[in-house]
Amino acid sequence: MKYIDEFRDGALARSLGAAITREAAPGRRYGFMEFCGGHTHAIARYGVTDLLPGNVRMIHGPGCPVCVLPVGRVDMAIEIARRPGVILATYGDTMRVPASGRLSLLKAKAQGADVRMVYSTQDAVRLAEENPGREVVMFAIGFETTTPPTALAIKQAEAKGLANFLVFCNHVLTPSAISHILESPEVRELGTVPIDGFIGPAHVSTIIGSRPYEFFAEEYQKPVVIAGFEPLDVMQAILMLVRQVNEGRAEVENEFTRAVTREGNQKAQALVAEVFELRREFEWRGLGAVPYSALRLKDKYAAFDAERRYGLVDRQVADHKACECGAILRGVKQPADCKLFGTACTPENPLGSCMVSSEGACAAHYTYGRFRDFSRKSAAGGATP
Amino acid sequence: MCLALPVRVVELKGGDMAVVDLGGVRKEISLALVDGVTAGDYVILHVGYALTRLDPAEAERTLATFAAAGIDAPASA
Ligand code: SF4
């Protein structure tokens, strides 16, 4: 397909790999975090790490909306789905996310809850229209990319006078999560997670633009390169990061100019600002409570808010004891460091959220890269420390 | 979940809707988030909505950058 295939060319990928190898100074190590699960997926699927020199390491970040959904919020979704007369509409990825008591939405559905997978929020609005006697609740999750579609659905329901359409809002914000990672004690403690720069989100940035990253490139003195989700985009972004580090720069650069501008999609931003407001804090799986990192419906739209209508209260539920998702989402550990990886925990039977979505670090590693790390480790061991 | 694809707009429909071509498959999507899209434009499609228009000239420029990286000497010492 046009604008996809050209960005997956193997020969170009090798020449970009050679350029990175040539420009990365042999005496130093480079650690770059790809924030987005979309990048994690591309890196694993196309074997990007195989083309990098041993001293350039990619660290997976928390940018997978399914992975950061805390157990408590999934429990709340199940509670909503079990209410009499309710239809819970959800994106497919959330179905298998582990909740408390070995439950998931999929299991709740098998037990009789009316959970429907939808492709788009428009499908959820349609469900509400077709089922006037039922309450249809959209389990809205995701970063800045999926928030505008939720806002539009609410406006649409309002215009159509649909009193039976509700939203269970779990939308989270990217820039606050990145700042939080940089401020976490493990990351601050020198040497634990050396992050020299970030690959910035592709599709999130189409909405918010490149401007929101400028603050923290400045504040934390870390370079950020926004990149598309194809393998060549990622390789080019790594090359741009290596150059910034070599030249002592910490700037926001944009590799994904075919879709991202500095200002972003202002129409979408205005819509989100009209419908949503910041929560004081929100719990992320693996990161804990992150201040001002999520959205909720404004008072004006309270009638569409499932949390208010049903009087739901937030609850905190611990993850599976042995699950290392928390450390993995902060880049402190890698999937293979988890005792359950590939044994008790697999994509067919996930124990932690990082194993659920194909963008989760554990799932990507399980599907595409299980044996690759061994050769990587020996390559890294051979390089100058 | 964040997977989004560049697709070509084939036909505009009423009410912000459009038909797009997704590698041979036709699909109806919403253009409500992006103003001024016309048939023939490429947009980035995500959960049923166009997020933004794709700029063909910038795509060409990026591809040229990839090609140059293999040839160029290091930018600076
Ligand atoms: S392998 Fe499973 S249990 Fe271990 S960290 Fe990953 S998701 Fe958690």
Side-chain angles (χ1 to χ4, degrees):
Chain A
M1 277 161 69
K2 193 162 165 59
Y3 298 120
I4 296 181
D5 299 335
E6 311 93 289
F7 292 86
R8 293 181 180 171
D9 182 275
L12 278 179
R14 278 186 294 279
S15 72
L16 280 170
I20 293 167
T21 307
R22 196 168 59 224
E23 297 193 29
R28 72 177 292 168
R29 284 169 180 272
Y30 300 79
F32 300 127
M33 176 176 273
E34 85 276 3
F35 179 82
C36 272
H39 288 130
T40 303
H41 180 88
I43 287 167
R45 175 163 176 197
Y46 299 100
V48 165
T49 41
D50 287 352
L51 297 171
L52 300 178
N55 59 336
V56 176
R57 187 188 149 205
M58 298 310 294
I59 300 155
H60 311 311
C64 157
V66 175
C67 306
V68 297
L69 206 57
V71 177
R73 300 295 290 189
V74 187
D75 286 354
M76 286 161 84
I78 292 174
E79 183 187 321
I80 295 172
R82 284 177 162 170
R83 293 179 72 92
V86 163
I87 298 173
L88 186 82
T90 179
Y91 294 121
D93 303 45
T94 57
M95 292 294 278
R96 291 181 311 121
V97 179
S100 298
R102 303 195 152 259
L103 265 178
S104 64
L105 279 171
L106 195 65
K107 286 181 191 157
K109 183 181 166 78
Q111 291 170 2
D114 196 348
V115 181
R116 315 258 184 111
M117 258 198 263
V118 292
Y119 166 68
S120 160
T121 53
Q122 295 169 80
D123 301 339
V125 173
R126 203 168 306 128
L127 272 176
E129 271 181 297
E130 289 164 2
N131 297 278
R134 313 271 306 270
E135 282 177 344
V136 175
V137 183
M138 177 72 207
F139 184 17
I141 71 156
F143 289 95
E144 290 88 339
T145 28
T146 41
T147 312
T150 305
L152 272 178
I154 291 169
K155 301 274 290 176
Q156 213 181 345
E158 186 187 38
K160 292 184 174 187
L162 289 173
N164 66 329
F165 177 78
L166 297 161
V167 165
F168 176 40
C169 181
N170 294 273
H171 287 300
V172 285
L173 304 170
T174 304
S176 32
I178 302 183
S179 314
H180 188 75
I181 292 169
L182 286 169
E183 293 197 336
S184 92
E186 292 93 330
V187 174
R188 285 208 149 174
E189 192 187 306
L190 212 71
T192 317
V193 198
I195 299 178
D196 299 305
F198 286 89
I199 295 190
H203 298 135
V204 161
S205 308
T206 65
I207 302 293
I208 67 174
S210 65
R211 192 163 43 184
Y213 309 103
E214 288 168 10
F215 159 77
F216 87 58
E218 169 84 7
E219 176 78 13
Y220 299 97
Q221 283 297 301
K222 301 279 182 195
V224 179
V225 177
I226 293 157
F229 277 155
E230 299 303 335
L232 294 187
D233 292 317
V234 178
M235 303 272 313
Q236 174 68 23
I238 295 170
L239 180 60
M240 290 163 81
L241 284 169
V242 165
R243 287 177 179 167
Q244 284 210 40
V245 170
N246 287 353
E247 291 161 22
R249 290 183 289 127
E251 294 164 13
V252 177
E253 291 181 312
N254 183 6
E255 184 278 338
F256 198 35
T257 50
R258 62 189 185 278
V260 172
T261 59
R262 180 162 181 267
E263 307 305 329
N265 181 338
Q266 286 169 311
K267 188 179 187 189
Q269 291 168 18
L271 198 67
V272 168
E274 190 196 327
V275 176
F276 297 103
E277 64 188 12
L278 281 174
R279 288 180 196 257
R280 191 160 298 144
E281 62 172 33
F282 191 75
E283 199 200 330
W284 293 50
R285 198 183 290 227
L287 300 183
V290 181
Y292 301 107
S293 63
L295 299 173
R296 65 165 181 222
L297 275 68
K298 278 189 173 164
D299 286 343
K300 197 174 146 205
Y301 294 96
F304 297 95
D305 188 346
E307 274 173 86
R308 284 190 237 199
R309 169 121 26 135
Y310 302 138
L312 301 176
V313 253
D314 251 318
R315 58 194 81 163
Q316 290 193 336
V317 185
D319 285 326
H320 191 290
K321 273 203 298 300
C323 176
E324 300 276 15
C325 274
I328 291 168
L329 291 171
R330 266 170 293 145
V332 180
K333 288 197 172 169
Q334 302 197 29
D337 295 332
C338 173
K339 282 200 295 289
L340 307 176
F341 178 79
T343 53
C345 184
T346 61
E348 293 74 46
N349 186 19
L351 286 177
S353 54
C354 311
M355 193 57 103
V356 176
S357 158
S358 62
E359 291 151 45
C362 292
H365 189 61
Y366 184 87
T367 311
Y368 302 112
R370 250 193 306 169
F371 307 106
R372 192 165 280 133
D373 266 12
F374 290 98
S375 50
R376 284 271 304 152
K377 268 185 192 140
S378 40
T384 328
Chain B
M1 165 95 228
C2 277
L3 297 183
L5 292 170
V7 294
R8 188 170 52 88
V9 175
V10 178
E11 188 194 339
L12 298 182
K13 298 256 180 176
D16 283 336
M17 299 301 285
V19 177
V20 296
D21 177 77
L22 219 163
V25 181
R26 303 235 154 167
K27 202 173 168 55
E28 205 170 272
I29 71 158
S30 166
L31 297 177
L33 295 173
V34 190
D35 287 330
V37 175
T38 54
D41 284 351
Y42 276 80
V43 294
I44 304 235
L45 167 67
H46 178 63
V47 296
Y49 293 84
L51 293 181
T52 185
R53 222 191 313 259
L54 188 142
D55 184 334
E58 286 295 338
E60 288 311 318
R61 206 169 309 167
T62 303
L63 287 169
T65 316
F66 297 160
I71 306 158
D72 279 0
S76 64

